[in-house]
Amino acid sequence: MTKRVAFAIATALALPAAIAAEPTQAAPDVTVLQCAHLVDTAAGKMLGETTLVIEGKRVKEIKAGEVDVTSYANAAKAAGANFSYHKINDGTCLPGLIDSHTHLTSETSPTGYTDQFRWNIADYAIRSTVYAKRTLLAGFTTVRNVGDQDNESIALRNAINAGIVPGPRIFTAGKPIGTTGGHADPTDGYRSDLAGNPGPKDGIINSADDAYKAIRQHYKDGVDVIKIMPSGGVLDESSSADNAQMTIEEIKAIVSAAHDYGFTVAAHAHGAEAIRRAVLGGVDSIEHGTFMNDEDMKLMKEHGTWYVPTIIAGKYVQEMAAKPGYYPPQVAAKALQVGPIIQATAGKAYKAGVKIAFGTDAAVYPHGQNAKEFEYMVQAGMPPMFVLQAATTHAAELLHKQDQLGQIAVGRVADIIAVPGNPLDDITVMQKVGFVMKDGVVYKADGRPVM
């Protein structure tokens, strides 16, 4: 798909291998990227041949057509600067993608329910570096990580930010917040002498006062966003996927405290009543929304609440539930209840005009397959350009980072990917990302990792 022509005028590219292998990667001083086509996600248009000039981590110039790069190369040489050149001959450039719903520190497995008694936090943390790299190489340069077990995603975020391991830019919620016995209770299914009594420090609340304590603990822990569980879920070992598990008063307390600290609040909610309470409670987004009804959709439009569908997760758990022994029986039953419905709900919400941001629930399915969600969204009735915007401009707005992420524009962060062909004609090409740049650093070219 891509032809990578890279040349360096700086001494950095001639450093000894031992030095060049240092983990922290710096963007070249100047990079020229020529694209056969480019998606302008802000305008919702496909552009023709376009040349991008990048200085360090940011886009400096966008020029129509193919330009002579000699002047840029000569100027870099004269200044003693690094220069790099890449050309996408027959594909389409897009902004780096944003997945608004991931869990980068775990992954689906038939042994997952027993692994937790064998693995240490370090086991999950080390594996998370592999999952993060897969996600980045799939074209997702930014993710919202909405739940882990022991705040290990905070450490992963910090390691990526420090250049220790490659991965997407992470905005993490740390531990999710729920109620005793609810979807966030990490001891569901444990025998009584192991279960204990998790409290606000563990993300488990049972009052408005607990809610404030939990948010303040999350602030102390260093999270970026808040994730709450006002309804049952599929993969915990309780009996209900959709029952309401938080009062409106508890949700309002969480949202009030979270907004005081500058956090947005994402609400895992399958059931219609839980969705209603979460929207009235002021959350910023509804995740999954499987049993969302007309009243919920109306309320979400009135309140400006975002919807993150995660269709791929519903389809995957339905598929795995058909395999004997993959899930515990009660989990399999819930998966078969949710799986067949979630895609149709997403299509109905789109037609109703609910705001939609792209998200997948990565970890429920194997990491790196995030882009399958684009295909499912189109099948649900959403236009290809809309689903691309859902993973770029919409998701950036949900993160309150629309001034930095979600589009290729002068002054914005240089997060750029490329796919073969035209995703507006065939959305499945989003599953074939061949070029990935994040913060001006190229991590994949010609379909292969470059570091």
Side-chain angles (χ1 to χ4, degrees):
M1 175 202 65
T2 65
K3 179 182 179 182
R4 182 172 184 258
V5 183
F7 50 91
I9 300 173
T11 56
L13 293 185
L15 289 173
I19 299 176
E22 285 295 317
T24 300
Q25 300 293 331
D29 297 314
V30 179
T31 300
V32 174
L33 174 61
Q34 294 186 329
C35 303
H37 301 278
L38 184 143
V39 177
D40 182 342
T41 50
K45 295 180 179 179
M46 175 68 78
L47 305 180
E49 197 166 34
T50 305
T51 299
L52 306 174
V53 181
I54 297 149
E55 279 196 355
K57 296 182 178 182
R58 295 189 178 271
V59 178
K60 183 183 181 183
E61 298 177 51
I62 301 176
K63 295 177 175 289
E66 182 175 347
V67 304
D68 184 357
V69 300
T70 306
S71 60
Y72 293 101
N74 290 340
K77 182 177 181 180
N82 296 334
F83 178 78
S84 183
Y85 170 68
H86 306 269
K87 186 171 184 178
I88 310 302
N89 278 326
D90 57 357
T92 302
C93 293
L94 305 96
L97 304 173
I98 303 171
D99 190 331
S100 301
H101 193 122
T102 68
H103 303 279
L104 286 179
T105 60
S106 62
E107 185 172 82
T108 182
S109 166
T111 63
Y113 293 91
T114 54
D115 287 340
Q116 62 183 318
F117 297 104
R118 301 187 183 96
W119 291 3
N120 297 306
I121 298 174
D123 293 300
Y124 290 96
I126 290 170
R127 285 166 171 80
S128 75
T129 63
V130 176
Y131 307 147
K133 185 175 181 179
R134 282 187 205 161
T135 303
L136 176 62
L137 295 180
F140 290 83
T141 54
T142 301
V143 302
R144 193 177 56 153
N145 202 81
V146 284
D148 62 22
Q149 192 76 6
D150 293 287
N151 286 337
E152 64 272 21
S153 64
I154 297 174
L156 177 64
R157 176 200 65 194
N158 295 344
I160 291 171
N161 288 348
I164 303 302
V165 294
R169 186 178 297 101
I170 296 176
F171 297 90
T172 185
K175 299 176 184 178
I177 297 174
T179 55
T180 298
H183 189 51
D185 191 329
T187 64
D188 280 350
Y190 288 17
R191 69 184 197 223
S192 58
D193 61 317
L194 295 178
N197 185 28
K201 189 173 182 179
D202 308 295
I204 301 303
I205 69 163
N206 290 287
S207 68
D209 287 343
D210 279 356
Y212 274 87
K213 185 172 183 179
I215 294 298
R216 288 164 178 162
Q217 180 65 51
H218 278 62
Y219 175 76
K220 180 178 179 179
D221 292 339
V223 304
D224 306 294
V225 299
I226 298 296
K227 168 73 173 304
I228 67 171
M229 307 291 209
S231 95
V234 174
L235 296 183
D236 70 79
E237 295 192 70
S238 65
S239 60
S240 176
D242 63 330
N243 62 340
Q245 297 184 344
M246 278 186 177
T247 66
I248 291 182
E249 289 71 27
E250 289 168 338
I251 296 170
K252 285 183 175 179
I254 288 172
V255 172
S256 175
H259 287 178
D260 278 351
Y261 284 88
F263 299 130
T264 57
V265 180
H268 157 106
H270 287 289
E273 173 60 18
I275 295 169
R276 186 186 72 83
R277 293 183 190 181
V279 174
L280 292 176
V283 302
D284 297 277
S285 67
I286 297 294
E287 316 292 308
H288 316 305
T290 305
F291 301 100
M292 184 187 302
N293 60 25
D294 292 342
E295 179 190 359
D296 292 332
M297 293 179 193
K298 181 181 178 182
L299 282 173
M300 290 175 73
K301 288 182 66 178
E302 291 174 355
H303 289 257
T305 311
W306 286 94
Y307 172 40
V308 181
T310 69
I311 302 169
I312 185 176
K315 286 185 172 291
Y316 191 86
V317 298
Q318 181 184 0
E319 179 184 350
M320 294 301 104
K323 295 185 176 183
Y326 193 93
Y327 296 132
Q330 68 272 33
V331 172
K334 292 186 289 183
L336 292 172
Q337 178 189 15
V338 167
I341 297 173
I342 197 166
Q343 188 174 35
T345 300
K348 189 175 181 181
Y350 168 74
K351 292 176 183 176
V354 176
K355 296 195 301 184
I356 295 176
F358 183 101
T360 68
D361 212 358
V364 173
Y365 65 89
H367 292 285
Q369 299 177 14
N370 314 56
K372 186 75 173 176
E373 183 78 7
F374 288 111
E375 182 179 357
Y376 291 146
M377 293 173 79
V378 170
Q379 290 174 358
M382 302 179 207
M385 180 60 79
F386 178 88
V387 303
L388 296 178
Q389 291 173 317
T392 52
T393 55
H394 297 186
E397 186 177 346
L398 173 58
L399 283 169
H400 293 182
K401 298 294 180 181
Q402 62 267 37
D403 61 336
Q404 296 293 319
L405 307 173
Q407 59 178 291
I408 299 172
V410 173
R412 301 296 179 98
V413 172
D415 285 9
I416 302 164
I417 68 165
V419 297
N422 184 345
L424 301 183
D425 295 332
D426 179 8
I427 198 64
T428 66
V429 301
M430 296 303 297
Q431 299 171 46
K432 303 172 184 177
V433 171
F435 178 89
V436 176
M437 173 187 284
K438 175 195 161 198
D439 279 333
V441 177
V442 175
Y443 289 88
K444 189 176 188 179
D446 290 328
R448 297 185 300 272
V450 297
M451 60 179 65

